[in-house]
Every structure is written in C-alpha cells, then in structure tokens.
Amino acid sequence: MDDEVILELYFARNQEAIRETDCKYGGYCRRISQKILGSREDAEECVNDTWLQAWNKIPPQRPQYFQAFLGCIVRNLSLDRWEQRQTKKRGGGQTKILLSELKDCLPSPDLPERRLEERELGNILSRWLAQQPQKNRVAFVRRYWYADTLAETAAQIGCTTGAAKALLHRMRRSLRAHLEKEGVWQ
Amino acid sequence: MAMTEKDLLRGIGSLDAKLVEEAEAYQAPPARHWGRWLAAAACVAIVAGVGWKVLPTLTTETKPPQTTNVTEPETDPAEENTGSVAVDDGDTKEPVGETLGGVAIGMTPEEVEAILGSSYEVDAPRQLSEDYWDLCWYYSGLYVRFADQGEGWYVRELMAPGDSTMTLSTGIGVGSSREEILAAYPDASVSESEGIWSAQVKYEDSSLWIFHDAKNGNYINWIAHQYMDNEKNSTWIATSSQTEPADPLTQESIGGLTLGMTEQEVEDVLGSDYDSSPVTELRADIRTVTWRYEGTELQLADTGDGWFLNEIVLLESSPLTLSTGIGMDATEAEIREAYPDVIQTTQDTDPYGEGVAETYLSYGDVVSGLHFFMDGETLYRMELGPLEWVPDPLWQSMVSVKIAAHGADGSLVILKEKAAKTVSTVLTVSDPELAENPGESPQWWLDFGNDVFVAVYGHDDLATVYTGQYLDKTLATMTEEWTGVYLDLDSTLQSALENPTETWVIG
C-alpha cells in the first residue's frame, strides 16, 4: 500500500493504519531494533511501541518520509531500552561497539564544549554528511543510524570489511574536525 | 554536562530523513566479479601460477640442503634439452630420471651450466634470512632458481614459461596437449577452474605442475617440497590442493544444514518461518540475502546460478546443534573435546574502541571455517562460513604465503605463514587508486619476494600501502607509479609484524 494511503488511514483514525504499517515496514523496523538490542523479543516490543507512537503523532504530523519517520522512532525507542538494560545486565547488539567507535568524534578533554539539542546536532551532522561522497554517506548512516555490523555495512557499499572499517575511521576523524569547525566544542 | 558518545548516537538519529532513506535504498555499484568461493577454488592454480615469483621468500628455517650427486648428463644439451640425468638416490628422493630441459631438482649451478650452457641472465643473490640465500638464472625457455642454506647452491625450482621449447623427460612440454600430458602422466591430479587447467604430478619430495592457462598461456613448474614448508614436511601447494585437513565449510552441518544448500533445501529443514532481509547486490554477479530464524541467521548468496547457503550464524537462543552435538549450551571444554584442533584467536574487532577484543575458537581456517565466540565460559555466537568477504581479484603478484618484512630501520624479519596470510588478505584490497608519492618514512616494508614491495605507512591502527617495483633493488628507490590504498592495519597484523615468530607459528 502506498505511504500516502496509509497516512490517510492514520488521519481517518482507522486502525487498519497500524496493520498496514506493520505489513509494509514491520521487517524494516524489527531489523533496526534487533541490531541495536540484539534481542528479538525486545525488538518486537519496541516495534509495537513504535506503532503506538506513530498513531499518537499522526496526526498532527504528516511525515514526508514515512519510512525514515518510523525508523527514527524505533531507533530511539530501542536505544532507550538498551540503556535501561544496561543498568541490569550487559547489553547485546551493536550498540556498545557503536558507542566505542563514536568516542573518536568527541573532543579532547581540555576543550570547552556546549551541549546541543539532538535536532541541532542532527542538522550539523546532516550538513556534514551531505558534503561526503554518496558511498561514504551510506556507509556512515548504515553503521551509525541503522546499526549495521561492519560486514553488513561493507556489503551494502560493496567493499571489504577492512575497507569499510578504514573508511568509517576516516569519517569519524573528519566528523570530529567538522564538529570542532562548527563550534560545537568551542 | 559534557557531550558523550551516547549524545552523538542520539544526534545521529536526527539525521535528515532523506539521508536515512538514501542509505536504505542504496545499492553498491557493480564491481569486478566476486570470488570468495571462486578464489578459493582457483587458489591452487593461482598460487602455483605465481609460485615462481613468490617462492624466494618461502623459508625461514634452516634445513640442510638436499645433496644430490649428479653424474654426467646423458644427453648433449646442444642437440636437445630433454636428456635425463642419472641421479644417485642415496641422499635424494627426487624422481629418478625426471628432468625439465635436462635439469633436475637438486643440481648444482655447475651441473646446470654443463647442460644448458652459460648464456643466461642472472639476478643478484639475495639474502632472505640470516642463513638463506636465493638466486635465479634466466635461460631462454627455462628459469632456474637456486637456494643456498649454508652448504652451497642447488636447484630448488624450475619453470618453463609459455614460449619454452624445453621438455620434461617424458617429452611433455608447454605445447603438449592435455591428452598427451595425461598419457605421459596417467596418475596426475587434474583440476580445472577459472580457465586454468592443471595436472599435478606428485613425487615424494617435489611437485610438478603443468598448466594450461587460457589467459596467461601454458607453463610448467617443478618445485621441491622442502622449500614450501619446512616445518611440516609438506608443501603449501600440496596442502592447498590435496592434504587439506577436514574442511568444516564442506563437511560440517548444523541442524541438518550444510553450506551450499539451495533455498528449497534450507526451507525443507527449517521451514519458512523467517524474516528475510532485502537482497543486497554485493558485486555485479553476487547477491546476498539474510534469513532470520529464531536464534539462527542464514546468509544466502547467488553468484548467478541460484541461491545457496553461504553462512550459518547461531545466536544464544538457537536450538540447532552441530553434527558433533555441540550446541549453544556447550562449554569451551566440550568444544575442545569435539574439535581438538580448534585454535584460539583473540581479535580486536574494533581497534578504534576499547575493551571490545573478541576471543573465539576457530576450527578450519582463521578466516573461513567454524568459529565459536565465547564470553568467558558462555558460547554466545557460532558461525560457519567465511568470516568476511574477500574481494576479487586477488592481486596475483602479491599472492604469497610467506613475506619478508623490513622495519623502518632496515631490520629484516620473515613473517611466518599465518602472519603472511594475514598480510596478503589485508592487501587484497579493491579499487586501488593512484596516490601521491608519500613523503614520510614507511613503517614497514613488505617484501613479497617477487620484486613487489609494499611500503606500509601509518600509525596505530590505520595505514596506507604503496606498492611498486624496485628500480634498483634497494629499499630507498621505488618507481613513481605508486598505487596507494588505505587499509586497516589492525592489531592482528600489527602484532604479527612486531612479533613474527612469537605470535605466529605455522600450523
């Protein structure tokens, strides 16, 4: 079913909207969640929560990119759940590795910094990514947005795991320089 | 409050939706044909095919050179180059009577000159380790490689290139037909892959290869085993082709699944209750897809003739077991009992982070095989299949099993087999780009022994590799034609370079 039709169902408050959303984007959302959490059961709960949030947000929102809109919700919910689990036991999935990688992008301890809102940071990141070659862009988003493994990221962009690892390493360094240039840590 | 990596991960969640959808829809552009399986199948032929070039680096251990007492040649080399040599087999196990161009493995330079004359080009002798020297004579139609391990020079390898008129003692030459070859050597092992047909004749202490290569022409290669793998008294060619230990990729099964199964066969075993990932076009002629069952992930690949099972991954909740009964509830002791040959490997899966070193037990090759990932005593992941995609084509000129590495200070170390394999794996990069001449001193030089040298630049975990031919066989001079690629100089390779003998042991 076309996204516009599904959105019309939301606006009509027709619960078929959720069934159609699950039918079309259930696999996509489960995949994102499962990679972050490493647990199918937890992922399933996050996906169900995603449908609920989508139901509550639409209307009034009418997302232009419905798939990414859902992906963003399930990603945030999954990260929330991952953090909750961290307090209880060791978490699964890719998240711990992703966090360790992203340390590369953080400033030196002696630099003053300011804390950004997620959306503001997202805008800065988007502008930086837009300047990157498409292949690099895709690699970064696959790895840090979709939480793909290195092997999956490499497969997605058509290179070896080692090459993908090296590419991402260079991108993290570039991002760190960009964040400093943008004054994020000045 | 300081921004943390968690904040950054959250911020990435607010990326422009167009970027997110772009990444979801992206398909890698077609590239050269992929060949994990094909490369493996062609490995023997490729390695043997370049064996002539890479063999100079093959040994790290001293072993008394084979002493062969050769009598006067029976034939006049001026008349023909097929004469046989009477060999005293008291000290040698070379095949009595086998020769190539009248020359036999084990001969001295004087004996070779007596047969072929003194009209040849010669490479300067090269010291490849403290007690190992290498030397090559290039006759028209026959290349003769000598070794000296302290007791004088002797022939250790012969090669007849495509334009050679030299023949074996049986009269077989590079122009002989397959039928003629098999008639002369009825016990030869024949294989054919990727346009390369080969017949291997195994003698007790040497291997003779006759190649019909559709792309590169025909050639004959005869190599003494002892220069291939001193420690195991077996050859790396033979090991690759015939004496391979039990290969879990082809012989292991998990829950009734074996690699290579078709889609239908997989569904017949596990049913059709699975989530399927989108199909990814990895190369122009390979697609992959992942089927996710409860606790089990199956990667299927299609190289043009249908989907087949390429990799099996068991997660903690998987109910499946190996043919040995090992399941996800197995302890390390049980795994070791079932697979006594497992090798424990610790790999820093993320050299940029901290504390994510991963320990696993490998059965089969370190890269491809059966792998048990342990968290303490708990088995949390099991994989059967290739650990990662290997790009194709291999840089044929770099295929080697042993590589000499020169430190920045000029010190020489010979990498052992596994380290060298790691290096060669790392170097099989795709899409190399021309790069500017580097201006800093390289961290390491890797000598592939075939006039290909690689300068590895970099620090810590990232390196840049530049390859080139030596101009005058000095470390300081290389051609202007650099091919630069970034590569991940991971901790495994770094460790191998720094501790070639302590960390890596053949076998």
Side-chain angles (χ1 to χ4, degrees):
Chain A
M1 183 179 285
D2 189 77
D3 285 357
E4 280 303 314
V5 178
I6 297 175
L7 288 173
E8 285 306 320
L9 291 174
Y10 277 98
F11 274 84
R13 309 312 290 163
N14 185 337
Q15 293 194 2
E16 278 295 298
I18 293 178
R19 198 179 70 80
E20 292 297 337
T21 305
D22 187 42
C23 182
K24 186 169 183 180
Y25 294 115
Y28 169 79
C29 290
R30 286 184 185 88
R31 196 173 77 237
I32 294 171
S33 184
Q34 194 161 334
K35 282 177 181 169
I36 292 172
L37 293 166
S39 160
R40 189 168 177 168
E41 293 74 22
D42 286 350
E44 193 60 40
E45 289 185 31
C46 281
V47 170
N48 288 334
D49 291 347
T50 299
W51 306 154
L52 181 60
Q53 278 210 16
W55 179 258
N56 291 333
K57 287 174 185 259
I58 311 172
Q61 291 187 44
R62 180 181 281 273
Q64 187 178 357
Y65 299 95
F66 189 42
Q67 183 180 19
F69 171 83
L70 296 169
C72 189
I73 294 175
V74 75
R75 184 179 184 277
N76 283 333
L77 288 173
S78 301
L79 286 173
D80 288 344
R81 184 172 291 253
W82 183 84
E83 288 185 4
Q84 290 166 10
R85 286 186 1 182
Q86 279 300 99
T87 62
K88 299 176 183 174
K89 63 174 186 175
R90 182 180 174 186
Q94 287 286 304
T95 314
K96 193 171 182 179
I97 298 172
L98 297 184
L99 289 173
S100 68
E101 288 183 8
L102 289 173
K103 279 183 181 174
D104 283 0
C105 307
L106 298 178
S108 304
D110 55 346
L111 278 178
E113 58 187 291
R114 61 191 174 94
R115 189 177 177 84
L116 297 177
E117 294 296 328
E118 277 180 26
R119 184 165 297 280
E120 187 182 359
L121 182 56
N123 289 337
I124 292 173
L125 293 170
S126 296
R127 287 198 297 273
W128 169 74
L129 271 177
Q131 298 166 3
Q132 308 296 320
Q134 186 189 29
K135 182 176 171 181
N136 297 15
R137 268 199 317 266
V138 169
F140 189 89
V141 176
R142 292 302 321 183
R143 179 67 171 150
Y144 300 114
W145 200 98
Y146 284 102
D148 277 0
T149 64
L150 274 173
E152 289 167 334
T153 303
Q156 188 74 25
I157 61 174
C159 70
T160 65
T161 304
K165 198 188 288 184
L167 171 66
L168 290 167
H169 180 66
R170 292 198 298 276
M171 291 192 76
R172 288 196 299 272
R173 291 187 176 180
S174 165
L175 174 57
R176 175 175 168 168
H178 179 77
L179 293 176
E180 289 177 356
K181 184 181 170 187
E182 286 285 319
V184 175
W185 289 305
Q186 290 178 356
Chain B
M1 179 190 290
M3 178 175 284
T4 66
E5 58 271 27
K6 287 183 182 176
D7 298 327
L8 197 51
L9 193 59
R10 291 280 188 177
I12 290 169
S14 297
L15 284 177
D16 190 320
K18 282 184 288 188
L19 295 169
V20 176
E21 295 214 342
E22 175 194 50
E24 178 66 10
Y26 182 83
Q27 292 288 325
R32 294 164 299 194
H33 68 286
W34 170 88
R36 173 66 200 163
W37 296 99
L38 297 180
C43 178
V44 171
I46 291 173
V47 170
V50 299
W52 176 258
K53 293 184 174 182
V54 304
L55 272 171
T57 62
L58 276 182
T59 188
T60 61
E61 287 206 348
T62 58
K63 184 175 181 179
Q66 192 175 49
T67 55
T68 305
N69 300 321
V70 182
T71 63
E72 291 298 316
E74 293 179 344
T75 53
D76 181 357
E79 294 179 3
E80 62 173 312
N81 288 320
T82 61
S84 60
V85 178
V87 179
D88 176 0
D89 60 0
D91 291 327
T92 182
K93 294 175 181 173
E94 290 308 322
V96 176
E98 185 60 280
T99 59
L100 180 57
V103 177
I105 295 288
M107 282 184 171
T108 65
E110 293 75 21
E111 290 165 341
V112 173
E113 277 195 330
I115 296 169
L116 297 180
S118 56
S119 179
Y120 53 82
E121 295 180 13
V122 61
D123 276 345
R126 297 189 299 177
Q127 184 173 15
L128 299 175
S129 66
E130 186 179 346
D131 46 14
Y132 181 79
W133 288 76
D134 174 83
L135 169 66
C136 188
W137 288 1
Y138 299 93
Y139 286 98
S140 175
L142 188 67
Y143 304 158
V144 185
R145 188 172 294 286
F146 298 94
D148 181 359
Q149 293 177 296
E151 298 186 21
W153 294 101
Y154 53 95
V155 176
R156 69 170 172 86
E157 185 184 3
L158 296 164
M159 181 178 178
D163 59 353
S164 175
T165 58
M166 305 281 185
T167 58
L168 294 156
S169 60
T170 52
I172 295 297
V174 293
S176 299
S177 68
R178 299 179 187 184
E179 292 73 23
E180 290 170 336
I181 293 167
L182 295 179
Y185 298 98
D187 296 329
S189 300
V190 175
S191 64
E192 185 166 14
S193 176
E194 292 286 279
I196 302 175
W197 179 92
S198 68
Q200 182 194 12
V201 183
K202 285 195 71 180
Y203 298 118
E204 190 167 357
D205 279 358
S206 65
S207 279
L208 172 67
W209 300 76
I210 306 168
F211 291 96
H212 281 192
D213 183 339
K215 185 177 178 182
N216 300 308
N218 302 343
Y219 45 94
I220 297 174
N221 199 195
W222 184 15
I223 311 170
H225 286 174
Q226 71 181 86
Y227 310 111
M228 301 171 186
D229 185 339
N230 288 334
E231 295 190 12
K232 295 173 69 177
N233 195 27
S234 62
T235 78
W236 50 273
I237 289 178
T239 297
S240 299
S241 61
Q242 294 194 348
T243 59
E244 194 86 27
D247 178 8
L249 293 184
T250 58
Q251 298 179 16
E252 187 57 87
S253 70
I254 297 180
L257 298 171
T258 55
L259 298 185
M261 277 184 162
T262 64
E263 291 175 285
Q264 187 58 55
E265 288 169 337
V266 170
E267 287 190 340
D268 288 345
V269 175
L270 293 187
S272 54
D273 182 19
Y274 56 83
D275 292 330
S276 178
S277 72
V279 173
T280 298
E281 188 171 339
L282 196 63
R283 292 287 192 272
D285 58 355
I286 181 170
R287 301 178 299 156
T288 65
V289 67
T290 301
W291 288 3
R292 296 183 176 86
Y293 289 90
E294 180 67 40
T296 304
E297 294 184 357
L298 307 179
Q299 183 196 61
L300 291 91
D302 175 16
T303 56
D305 53 358
W307 292 97
F308 62 90
L309 182 56
N310 188 55
E311 184 182 32
I312 304 170
V313 177
L314 304 189
L315 306 175
E316 281 173 295
S317 58
S318 178
L320 304 184
T321 60
L322 291 160
S323 58
T324 52
I326 294 295
M328 294 305 294
D329 57 349
T331 64
E332 180 175 342
E334 290 169 336
I335 293 170
R336 288 184 180 278
E337 184 178 357
Y339 300 93
D341 296 330
V342 292
I343 300 169
Q344 180 168 318
T345 302
T346 298
Q347 185 172 18
D348 188 354
T349 55
D350 172 38
Y352 319 115
E354 294 177 356
V356 290
E358 199 164 43
T359 297
Y360 59 92
L361 303 173
S362 299
Y363 179 65
D365 190 85
V366 172
V367 176
S368 299
L370 179 59
H371 303 278
F372 305 91
F373 294 85
M374 311 294 296
D375 182 4
E377 262 298 299
T378 304
L379 176 62
Y380 67 90
R381 185 181 176 90
M382 192 191 304
E383 296 179 353
L384 176 63
L387 263 189
E388 57 185 315
W389 300 106
V390 176
D392 190 53
L394 296 174
W395 288 10
Q396 185 162 323
S397 60
M398 289 185 178
V399 174
S400 179
V401 293
K402 294 186 180 179
I403 303 169
H406 300 259
D409 60 356
S411 60
L412 172 68
V413 292
I414 305 293
L415 301 184
K416 293 268 188 168
E417 183 179 3
K418 283 184 178 175
K421 280 183 176 175
T422 304
V423 172
S424 61
T425 299
V426 169
L427 292 177
T428 53
V429 292
S430 58
D431 304 326
E433 299 172 356
L434 277 179
E436 293 180 3
N437 198 333
E440 56 182 307
S441 297
Q443 197 171 9
W444 293 94
W445 296 88
L446 303 180
D447 178 355
F448 286 74
N450 53 4
D451 288 339
V452 172
F453 285 77
V454 174
V456 180
Y457 294 78
H459 313 280
D460 302 330
D461 54 10
L462 195 68
T464 307
V465 160
Y466 295 89
T467 66
Q469 303 282 328
Y470 273 137
L471 276 184
D472 58 4
K473 305 216 184 321
T474 68
L475 284 177
T477 308
M478 298 178 77
T479 65
E480 294 299 318
E481 293 184 2
W482 299 92
T483 300
V485 292
Y486 281 104
L487 70 99
D488 170 32
L489 187 65
D490 64 19
S491 57
T492 304
L493 174 57
Q494 189 79 34
S495 173
L497 288 168
E498 291 172 356
N499 304 292
T501 54
E502 294 176 9
T503 308
W504 302 90
V505 178
I506 291 176

